[in-house]
Amino acid sequence: MKPITILIADDEAEIAELIAMHVKKEGYQTVIALDGKEAVQAVQTHSIDLAILDIMMPGMNGYDVTRVIREKHNMPIIFLSAKASDLDKISGLIMGADDYMTKPFNPLELMARVKAQLRRYTQLNQPAAVDQKVLEAGRLAIYPDQRIVTMYGETIELTPKEFDILYLLASYPKKVFSAENIFEHVWGEAYYEGCNTVMVHIRTLRKKLGEEKAKNKVIKTVWGVGYSFNG
């Protein structure tokens, strides 16, 4: 079995080494990058299974690195940053991160989140014993095995979480899912009050699907209840 390799990108070497120490204790391999450009090069030259990225790095910041990674890869990305406002967290999720932790951080909590992301990523990318059915609805086609979504034959680039949300809703047409239902299905964790993660992902998903201009919305909002697939 191929060893799991985790990219740690932070311009503070001491923090990078601290994270690497805890990562190695879990039996994972590490690649350390001290700026954004090194992080991009690491992804291009190594088989990376998960990336832990600082946001404020010289050369290229964490947002820029994520943008480049998402062009070709769907491995989990965790932002670890001193930027702690809700707007910063929302921006990180919109850019394509799967999780966001603020500094100072608890290394044990970080490792718990790393393992949770790796577990979901591994499960989602295991070959299915039987091909899953392609879901087609109007202008959309969803290919579960390949994790690809097309609109009028053109591929729509979605983050792993955006794909999971769309596939969940499309698998149960007309069924209304609350934000709590969606969070627990997609993130595999208990929903906590005040969490707006689902709302942020729905917003970016709609934008990528061109929902602003479409007369018949693919994702329907049921006010006060949740969301449903209207394909």
Side-chain angles (χ1 to χ4, degrees):
M1 181 182 296
K2 182 182 79 69
I4 291 174
T5 301
I6 295 177
L7 168 64
I8 304 164
D10 197 305
D11 60 335
E12 296 186 60
E14 291 183 358
I15 291 179
E17 291 294 345
L18 172 65
I19 297 171
M21 179 183 71
H22 286 276
V23 168
K24 290 175 182 176
K25 282 183 179 179
E26 297 296 332
Y28 307 138
Q29 294 185 348
T30 62
V31 175
I32 292 178
L34 298 179
D35 60 45
K37 291 183 179 179
E38 285 186 13
V40 170
Q41 185 177 14
V43 172
Q44 294 171 341
T45 56
H46 295 79
S47 178
I48 303 296
D49 297 286
L50 180 145
I52 300 172
L53 306 179
D54 185 22
I55 292 178
M56 303 302 293
M57 293 187 290
M60 294 176 67
N61 62 35
Y63 297 144
D64 294 331
V65 174
T66 298
R67 190 179 296 110
V68 173
I69 290 176
R70 285 290 178 247
E71 289 177 358
K72 296 183 178 179
H73 306 281
N74 69 342
M75 85 276 281
I77 295 175
I78 300 175
F79 276 145
L80 183 62
S81 174
K83 297 167 72 67
S85 73
D86 287 342
L87 181 59
D88 292 322
K89 296 176 183 178
I90 290 171
S91 297
L93 295 171
I94 289 175
M95 289 302 302
D98 297 281
D99 203 350
Y100 193 113
M101 281 192 68
T102 57
K103 299 176 181 178
F105 63 98
N106 183 326
L108 296 180
E109 180 184 355
L110 175 60
M111 290 314 305
R113 296 193 184 203
V114 165
K115 287 187 280 188
Q117 290 294 339
L118 286 172
R119 183 167 59 250
R120 284 193 287 274
Y121 179 68
T122 301
Q123 291 172 349
L124 288 171
N125 285 275
Q126 285 181 343
V130 179
D131 287 346
Q132 292 176 285
K133 183 180 179 182
V134 176
L135 299 179
E136 295 184 273
R139 60 188 184 275
L140 279 181
I142 304 172
Y143 300 84
D145 291 332
Q146 295 80 17
R147 295 181 64 78
I148 292 173
V149 175
T150 64
M151 179 183 292
Y152 299 120
E154 296 292 328
T155 300
I156 305 298
E157 297 295 337
L158 301 181
T159 67
K161 290 293 187 292
E162 289 166 356
F163 179 90
D164 293 340
I165 291 172
L166 181 62
Y167 182 61
L168 172 65
L169 297 178
S171 297
Y172 301 91
K174 309 299 181 183
K175 178 178 178 179
V176 179
F177 286 85
S178 67
E180 180 178 355
N181 293 151
I182 294 172
F183 189 87
E184 292 178 350
H185 272 89
V186 173
W187 274 264
E189 300 173 5
Y191 183 84
Y192 54 94
E193 188 174 353
C195 175
N196 58 4
T197 300
V198 171
M199 180 187 70
V200 172
H201 280 75
I202 291 285
R203 184 194 309 158
T204 57
L205 180 55
R206 281 174 163 161
K207 184 176 181 180
K208 291 181 179 181
L209 296 176
E211 294 280 75
E212 300 97 332
K213 299 179 181 179
K215 292 183 179 179
N216 297 318
K217 307 293 186 185
V218 172
I219 300 174
K220 180 182 178 182
T221 297
V222 181
W223 296 109
V225 184
Y227 308 94
S228 66
F229 187 81
N230 194 38

